[in-house]
Amino acid sequence: MNTDSAAHRGAGREPHPFAGPRPTTGGPVRRTLLRTALTGAAALGTGLAAARPATAAAPTRSAPPRPGTPDEAWRELAAGNRRWCTYRERHPHETPAVRRTLTTAQHPFAVVLGCIDSRVPPELVFDQGLGDLMTVRTAGEVLDEAVLGSVAYGVLELGIPLVVVLGHQSCGAVRAAVEAEESGGHLPAHIQYLADQISPAIDHGEEGDARIDATVDANVRLVRSKLVAEPDLAARINTGRLGIVGARYELTDQRVHRLA
């Protein structure tokens, strides 16, 4: 995980399009270090200016702001998915300049908690690039402490305004959980753990493939409800700084749609 530095902001010839200020944390020690760094940088700049002749300032290229609210972040993801499913992908933010900028700072605007399914890579289905998304992937979007900690890091440390729980059509982990419950069998190794976490979401009002399909949606809602109940995340939701949404990706048409 790469934390950014206040002294670095704006570094690089072409800043990442979503580069922006990160919420500050920390106390007196960090402020002292920051003042020292800024003072040293100012002195260095003065010395360099005195050592070389004055030249005209190079024009700077303005960049669109990083999505700073849950709604703005979702609109950016939705626009990217429209490009993806209509085969108009841009594959943004992969240039050498962007890569250089990202060596010392990151400003992702969304966390996507998705499935490990190889057909649903978030950066592709939302047509986003380097530094845009923080992704966490487990079979069936199953939560554990490591996943919760990863999501919390993105939200609390990097100030990310949106978390998306992304399920998908024909999820193999959901199917395994449903079929194991129906047969009464035990899945091998650690796969049973996944089924146990998904089983509370199994929709018993449906049968066959319809049950699996309905459980995909119910599982997304269950995972979202767990995240919303986390006190640190809930505090940000209540002040409008964070949104947590459930969504589903359709393999048949490559579209992502939000779940109510």
Side-chain angles (χ1 to χ4, degrees), residues 95-114:
T95 65
V98 168
R99 297 184 196 188
R100 286 193 297 271
T101 299
L102 291 172
T103 58
T104 54
Q106 63 170 326
H107 302 280
F109 67 88
V111 175
V112 179
L113 170 55

Side-chain angles (χ1 to χ4, degrees), residues 81 84 112-126 133 135-138 141 165-172 247-252 254-256:
N81 179 245
W84 166 256
V112 179
L113 170 55
C115 184
I116 62 171
D117 195 293
S118 63
R119 301 166 292 180
V120 196
E123 288 86 355
L124 292 183
V125 303
F126 288 118
L133 304 181
T135 60
V136 187
R137 301 179 67 179
T138 62
E141 308 88 59
V165 181
L166 183 63
H168 67 93
Q169 179 185 17
S170 302
C171 179
R248 171 174 164 140
Y249 178 72
E250 303 299 338
L251 297 174
T252 50
Q254 297 89 54
R255 295 184 185 275
V256 173

Side-chain angles (χ1 to χ4, degrees), residues 112-189:
V112 179
L113 170 55
C115 184
I116 62 171
D117 195 293
S118 63
R119 301 166 292 180
V120 196
E123 288 86 355
L124 292 183
V125 303
F126 288 118
D127 192 28
Q128 300 300 315
L130 295 173
D132 293 334
L133 304 181
M134 183 169 283
T135 60
V136 187
R137 301 179 67 179
T138 62
E141 308 88 59
V142 165
L143 286 176
D144 61 15
E145 285 299 313
V147 175
L148 284 170
S150 299
V151 173
Y153 178 84
V155 172
L156 303 179
E157 293 298 316
L158 299 183
I160 292 175
L162 179 67
V163 176
V164 179
V165 181
L166 183 63
H168 67 93
Q169 179 185 17
S170 302
C171 179
V174 169
R175 176 178 291 276
V178 170
E179 292 180 349
E181 184 193 69
E182 291 174 347
S183 68
H186 191 84
L187 295 169

Side-chain angles (χ1 to χ4, degrees), residues 10-16 59-61 96-98 100-101:
R13 297 180 184 175
E14 298 181 23
H16 188 276
T60 57
R61 179 183 301 176
V98 168
R100 286 193 297 271
T101 299

Side-chain angles (χ1 to χ4, degrees), residues 65-78 109 161-162:
R66 166 187 182 268
T69 69
D71 287 342
E72 289 172 354
W74 177 256
R75 284 195 294 270
E76 177 65 29
L77 293 180
F109 67 88
L162 179 67

Side-chain angles (χ1 to χ4, degrees), residues 7 33-52:
L33 291 174
L34 179 59
R35 284 196 297 269
T36 302
L38 291 176
T39 302
L44 178 60
T46 301
L48 290 175
R52 68 188 179 199

